[in-house]
Amino acid sequence: MPDPTPGTLDFAARQNPDGEALVQDERRLTWREWEERAARLATTLRDRFGVGKGARVAWMMHNRSEFYDLAFALQKLGAVPVAIGYRLTGPEAAYIVDNSDAKLVVCEDRFAPRLDAARSQMPKVAEDAFLMVGSGAAREGALPKATAFEDAIDQGRREELLAEARSGSSIIYTSGTTGRPKGAFRDASDPRMMQALREFTIGVVQGFGYQPGDRHLLVCPLYHSAPPAMAGITHLLAGCVVVQGRFDPEETLRVIQDERITSTFMVPTMLNRIASLPPEVLRRYDLSSMRSLIVGAAPFPYPLKQKVVEIFPNPCVYEFYGSTETAINTIIGPEDQLRKPGSCGKVCPGNEIKILAEDGRELPAGEVGTLYVRNPMIISGYYKNKRATDESRRDDFFTVGDMAYVDEEGFYYIVDRQKDMIISGGVNIYPAEIEQELRNHPAIYDCAVIGVPNEEWGEEVKAVVQLREGERLTEQELKDFLADNLADYKRPRTIDFVDELPYNPSGKLLKRELRDRYWKAAGRSI
């Protein structure tokens, strides 16, 4: 059979067959063992469920090593993984399954009741087209025709299946600005992209200081775009990924010490919790193995950055700007972290960035405009949503609506968000979806959802509500109303009732004015 293509997991498996590839708690898999599990699973997915090139397979689970069995198997088949956030409600998850045209769903047993209750909203998925991860103890009789994940592996054949060289396609759903999430579809099937993608990956590897044989700690949720991407670079270099099921600040430090972790990706909220540990706890752990502590997904406040730099003995803190849609666009390394407060770095190799005015003019250094990016990793578009795709493009440049400027040295600064997106603990939350649910309550006349300051999470969700004349409603009653249809992280933490919301003469809701009331005391606007 042909040799595997460099830059694929199969190639890495040939390079380091007896080295560790995956660790979670007591489970430790070598590259040879992982590759065999993936190959067996791939044959079952192909022969029993008809999964082939381009097929969509949705998955919903916590951080588990089984995710990697699935991901490697789908690469071997050239299939497209579709991530479902495990905090979503049944109807929210079902929308993603149906919209993505997935015909097979892999889920952790604890989520089976949630998906079972929404079965009618997934008409393209057959009753037996479910794989169940876990012991089944949390299943409670839901999805009765599902196949156990380990059985699917055991029933597969050990067949030499090489990962598709162009198998980097994926669909990751971002919360919808119009009430429904959008599927960010990255189609890697075009062979012309491959050389550009390899060069882009090399730039990221060099930019973050990755090395062959790294041991990467995966602690952020896998259903986001950055965590699996950062861990995936380690795997492409034949290194090992250590999976942490849930984040605990002190446990994270213990894992870094005991597993001699060399790289990890965290959001600022996690680092804030680590930095808040008592000094005697911080001194208890040896963190000297860490070479690349990568931070992103939300603003990294300078005071927190200073604390983190002090906690880790090596100069290892990297920060980046990017998005699900545009991948990694800028990187700032340890040497500039404290020298350039507020910057998210310089252009990452493989990217071209423009700061544009509303009329499309490119702006000079120091002037704030909309940040547009061009690189080979930009999504092909929002799946089945041409309008949203077109609105985000200007020629072959793409924007997620962030406002920024660049200084004379080429360092970029994100200063605001053009859209009303809230970032809480590194998670993107879009107000329109929440407002849509609020307006379903018969007592509500008008409403607005905004992000307000939160010391731990950066921002939290607040709803400002105007009731219909003569109606009465308490904050708890409204929270209870939202509980069935919105994931917990989307629900407003606080609700204010007002007599009237601010509008301008043309009828546009003045959200900026509304936000300013809460942000003024915080001394920041993002």
Side-chain angles (χ1 to χ4, degrees):
M1 63 175 298
D3 290 330
T5 304
T8 63
L9 293 180
D10 287 304
F11 184 83
R14 295 277 183 94
Q15 299 297 304
N16 192 23
D18 298 317
E20 280 191 333
L22 285 168
V23 173
Q24 185 170 25
D25 301 325
E26 301 304 313
R27 188 180 199 184
R28 310 183 86 91
L29 294 177
T30 66
W31 275 89
R32 192 192 313 276
E33 291 167 334
W34 179 32
E35 196 277 331
E36 180 170 345
R37 284 174 60 84
R40 289 184 179 278
L41 179 59
T43 60
T44 297
L45 296 181
R46 182 194 63 195
D47 300 341
R48 183 172 170 186
F49 297 101
V51 176
K53 189 169 185 177
R56 275 74 163 145
V57 176
W59 62 272
M60 185 180 192
M61 68 181 88
H62 284 95
N63 284 6
R64 300 181 61 122
S65 61
E66 289 93 339
F67 162 82
Y68 285 98
D69 298 328
L70 175 66
F72 200 169
L74 295 181
Q75 284 202 24
K76 288 177 176 294
L77 298 170
V80 181
V82 180
I84 303 174
Y86 54 71
R87 297 171 73 181
L88 297 182
T89 65
E92 289 170 325
Y95 172 80
I96 290 174
V97 171
D98 191 62
N99 183 260
S100 67
D101 298 317
K103 292 184 172 61
L104 177 69
V105 178
V106 181
C107 73
E108 194 171 346
D109 57 355
R110 72 183 71 189
F111 304 126
R114 198 181 304 177
L115 293 177
D116 194 55
R119 280 286 296 117
S120 63
Q121 298 173 52
M122 297 181 280
K124 300 166 190 170
V125 182
E127 282 187 277
D128 61 350
F130 289 86
L131 293 188
M132 193 80 67
V133 176
S135 65
R139 183 172 174 171
E140 301 175 7
L143 302 176
K145 295 188 177 182
T147 298
F149 190 83
E150 292 300 322
D151 288 348
I153 292 176
D154 292 342
Q155 294 164 9
R157 300 193 311 278
R158 181 64 180 95
E159 186 176 319
E160 293 287 353
L161 290 173
L162 288 182
E164 289 275 342
R166 298 185 295 277
S167 58
S169 300
S170 66
I171 304 179
I172 298 176
Y173 278 76
T174 63
S175 295
T177 55
T178 58
R180 287 293 194 180
K182 297 177 292 186
F185 179 40
R186 185 167 280 110
D187 184 359
S189 63
D190 185 348
R192 295 172 299 180
M193 290 180 60
M194 295 315 299
Q195 182 59 34
L197 289 174
R198 277 192 286 269
E199 292 174 356
F200 183 87
T201 303
I202 290 171
V204 172
V205 168
Q206 294 173 341
F208 288 129
Y210 281 93
Q211 297 179 20
D214 271 346
R215 296 180 66 81
H216 184 92
L217 175 61
L218 175 82
V219 65
C220 291
L222 275 164
Y223 64 82
H224 294 306
S225 56
M230 298 299 180
I233 292 173
T234 298
H235 272 153
L236 291 177
L237 295 173
C240 176
V241 171
V242 178
V243 180
Q244 189 170 344
R246 59 180 294 275
F247 175 74
D248 174 87
E250 186 172 355
E251 175 65 8
T252 297
L253 297 183
R254 185 198 66 77
V255 173
I256 291 172
Q257 171 187 272
D258 293 355
E259 294 290 342
R260 304 305 295 162
I261 297 298
T262 59
S263 67
T264 191
F265 165 73
M266 293 189 202
V267 298
T269 299
M270 293 176 169
L271 292 170
N272 191 33
R273 291 182 63 185
I274 289 175
S276 299
L277 290 170
E280 61 271 20
V281 173
L282 292 172
R283 289 193 296 267
R284 193 176 297 160
Y285 298 96
D286 177 6
L287 308 178
S288 61
S289 61
M290 185 66 69
R291 293 196 310 266
S292 300
L293 172 58
I294 303 165
V295 187
F300 192 7
Y302 188 70
L304 174 59
K305 187 178 294 189
Q306 289 175 303
K307 292 180 183 178
V308 173
V309 168
E310 291 175 1
I311 290 170
F312 288 84
N314 299 327
C316 65
V317 179
Y318 293 80
E319 187 180 358
F320 74 92
Y321 168 80
S323 66
T324 299
E325 292 89 338
T326 63
I328 296 167
N329 311 133
T330 70
I331 297 176
I332 186 167
E335 67 280 3
D336 293 311
Q337 287 293 346
L338 302 182
R339 186 177 74 87
K340 288 287 187 178
S343 175
C344 57
K346 289 186 171 184
V347 177
C348 176
N351 284 272
E352 185 179 350
I353 295 179
K354 291 183 177 181
I355 304 295
L356 302 181
E358 287 189 16
D359 60 7
R361 290 180 298 107
E362 188 167 1
L363 296 173
E367 290 195 28
V368 174
T370 304
L371 187 147
Y372 282 82
V373 178
R374 178 167 64 185
N375 70 45
M377 289 294 289
I378 286 177
I379 61 170
S380 309
Y382 294 111
Y383 191 60
K384 296 195 292 192
N385 194 338
K386 185 177 184 300
R387 178 178 178 181
T389 303
D390 291 344
E391 288 175 349
S392 300
R393 290 190 183 278
R394 188 182 287 271
D395 299 323
D396 52 353
F397 282 77
F398 197 97
T399 184
V400 294
D402 286 325
M403 308 297 288
Y405 71 91
V406 60
D407 69 15
E408 296 292 348
E409 292 184 65
F411 286 85
Y412 285 82
Y413 300 76
I414 307 299
V415 298
D416 206 344
R417 290 186 291 274
Q418 187 183 61
K419 300 174 184 177
D420 294 324
M421 183 176 72
I422 299 166
I423 300 180
S424 182
V427 178
N428 293 350
I429 303 170
Y430 287 84
E433 184 179 9
I434 306 167
E435 290 165 355
Q436 179 174 291
E437 294 297 333
L438 283 167
R439 290 191 176 101
N440 287 332
H441 196 291
I444 292 178
Y445 173 74
D446 201 0
C447 64
V449 172
I450 58 174
V452 296
N454 179 290
E455 287 301 314
E456 181 178 9
W457 303 104
E459 290 182 272
E460 68 179 42
V461 180
K462 175 182 283 290
V464 184
V465 172
Q466 180 181 344
L467 296 178
R468 296 184 185 278
E469 189 174 349
E471 293 285 352
R472 298 176 65 86
L473 191 65
T474 68
E475 183 176 24
Q476 189 56 52
E477 286 172 342
L478 191 48
K479 287 181 177 180
D480 292 343
F481 173 80
L482 297 172
D484 289 339
N485 292 314
L486 285 176
D488 58 352
Y489 69 94
K490 299 178 185 178
R491 298 173 207 156
R493 295 293 177 264
T494 55
I495 300 173
D496 288 355
F497 294 89
V498 298
D499 293 331
E500 190 175 41
L501 290 171
Y503 283 85
N504 67 14
S506 63
K508 181 180 179 181
L509 179 63
L510 299 174
K511 277 198 173 182
R512 171 66 64 189
E513 180 180 317
L514 205 56
R515 278 193 294 265
D516 285 348
R517 300 175 187 176
Y518 300 95
W519 285 91
K520 187 175 182 181
R524 57 192 176 100
S525 61
I526 187 171

